[in-house]
Amino acid sequence: MTKLPSVSLRKHYRSVPGEPSEPTSTIVLTSPQCFFVDVRVFKGPQQEPLHSSAYTNASKDLQWAFAGTSQSFNDLDGKRYSIWDHWIDSLTDHPPPDRGEMITLDNGDVLERGSTLNEKTGEVELYEELWTDLPMDAEGLENGHVCVVLRTESEEGKTKGMVVKIRDWCQGMLKIGNEVTVERWQWTQDAVQKNTGKWGRTVRIGKAVLPCTDLLGDKQAQEQTVLQKDRSLMAIIEISASFLGAWKEQQAAAEAIMKASPLHRRASKYTESNYTVYEFIHS
């Protein structure tokens, strides 16, 4: 069942029985087919991500990043759980299972409860994370109200990468051996002129170059990265164009991205949950 895309912000982390706090800027982008990129960077003195659009963050600024697929289910008691498969993980090549109970609060936020290994003590401890979904209504139509997922993997599995772009957010990560590169981009709407604004890179860690700007439709953003030949080549594995607005224009934007990909050989298309989903098959 295809679901709506989501942009989730973590409000706090709590190591039970400690007090909740949020030392990071943690954003998770999840596509309708449940591909996700989760990026967690430490905050600076002003409680904002340590970043600069012109320079690269230090590797120590990255607390954790991982990407893959997720799924949710209800147990026999009616409790809801989510499982995240870490296809790429900045900390390890052999991540442990990642599963949490998801409790929806009265205000719509979601409290995640689970257990994790404390690397400092070597003991398993209980944790809680509080999540909220961010609105996705800022980006102008000229940039495409389209969700796009890119992925790459070398034959030997030493190189893995994924990029997810949803409306006014784009995140990606690439792992080559033990070298990790992470980027986050955000669309900022003009305060005066409606449906206009610009993309800005708010996080960049690592030495490789991700193809994020190829999805943004913004020449100014593309100038902040290097030439096309130096970017990591990724294949489109999902495009979902919303029917919830000017759907003809959005569908055209999705098909333009699809046709621009030199890697796809065949694509099938179906409609579900007000979304047109393009599934790509690569040889």
Side-chain angles (χ1 to χ4, degrees), residues 75-251:
D75 67 5
L76 296 178
D77 296 325
K79 294 182 179 180
R80 188 156 185 81
Y81 291 87
S82 290
I83 298 175
W84 296 268
D85 177 18
H86 295 208
W87 182 63
I88 323 170
D89 191 306
S90 64
L91 300 180
T92 177
D93 291 332
H94 305 285
D98 187 357
R99 165 177 161 160
E101 180 186 359
M102 313 301 283
I103 304 169
T104 302
L105 306 181
D106 292 340
N107 65 352
D109 290 350
V110 174
L111 183 66
E112 176 188 341
R113 290 176 174 170
S115 60
T116 186
L117 179 66
N118 186 316
E119 295 182 355
K120 294 182 179 179
T121 65
E123 297 181 357
V124 175
E125 62 182 24
L126 300 178
Y127 75 86
E128 292 182 352
E129 291 177 297
L130 184 62
W131 299 92
T132 190
D133 282 347
L134 298 180
M136 296 183 292
D137 56 0
E139 186 193 0
L141 181 61
E142 65 273 13
N143 288 301
H145 292 175
V146 176
C147 171
V148 184
V149 180
L150 306 180
R151 185 171 64 180
T152 187
E153 181 178 15
S154 63
E155 292 183 0
E156 65 278 9
K158 293 183 179 180
T159 297
K160 290 183 178 180
M162 184 178 292
V163 174
V164 177
K165 184 263 185 185
I166 300 174
R167 294 290 290 270
D168 40 0
W169 293 89
C170 183
Q171 289 192 152
M173 69 174 296
L174 179 69
K175 188 173 184 180
I176 305 174
N178 293 323
E179 296 292 328
V180 176
T181 297
V182 172
E183 287 190 10
R184 177 189 293 164
W185 293 76
Q186 183 180 1
W187 168 268
T188 302
Q189 186 173 2
D190 189 278
V192 178
Q193 192 171 356
K194 187 178 180 181
N195 288 333
T196 62
K198 63 180 180 179
W199 284 96
R201 188 175 64 201
T202 60
V203 173
R204 170 157 172 78
I205 295 170
K207 299 178 180 179
V209 182
L210 290 162
C212 294
T213 56
D214 295 335
L215 306 181
L216 305 184
D218 188 315
K219 293 182 179 179
Q220 183 177 357
Q222 290 174 351
E223 291 173 357
Q224 295 186 41
T225 187
V226 298
L227 296 176
Q228 173 70 41
K229 64 182 179 64
D230 294 325
R231 296 180 192 165
S232 303
L233 188 59
M234 294 190 178
I236 299 174
I237 59 172
E238 178 189 349
I239 297 182
S240 304
S242 171
F243 278 1
L244 304 181
W247 66 267
K248 289 185 178 180
E249 290 85 351
Q250 295 170 25
Q251 185 173 348

Side-chain angles (χ1 to χ4, degrees), residues 58-87:
S59 59
K60 62 181 178 62
D61 297 338
L62 178 66
Q63 185 204 47
W64 197 10
F66 51 96
T69 56
S70 62
Q71 57 177 306
S72 298
F73 64 94
N74 293 331
D75 67 5
L76 296 178
D77 296 325
K79 294 182 179 180
R80 188 156 185 81
Y81 291 87
S82 290
I83 298 175
W84 296 268
D85 177 18
H86 295 208
W87 182 63

Side-chain angles (χ1 to χ4, degrees), residues 10-15 18-24 43 128:
R10 193 177 73 177
K11 288 185 170 181
H12 75 234
Y13 179 89
R14 177 184 177 219
S15 178
E19 293 297 319
S21 64
E22 185 49 87
T24 73
K43 292 179 179 178
E128 292 182 352

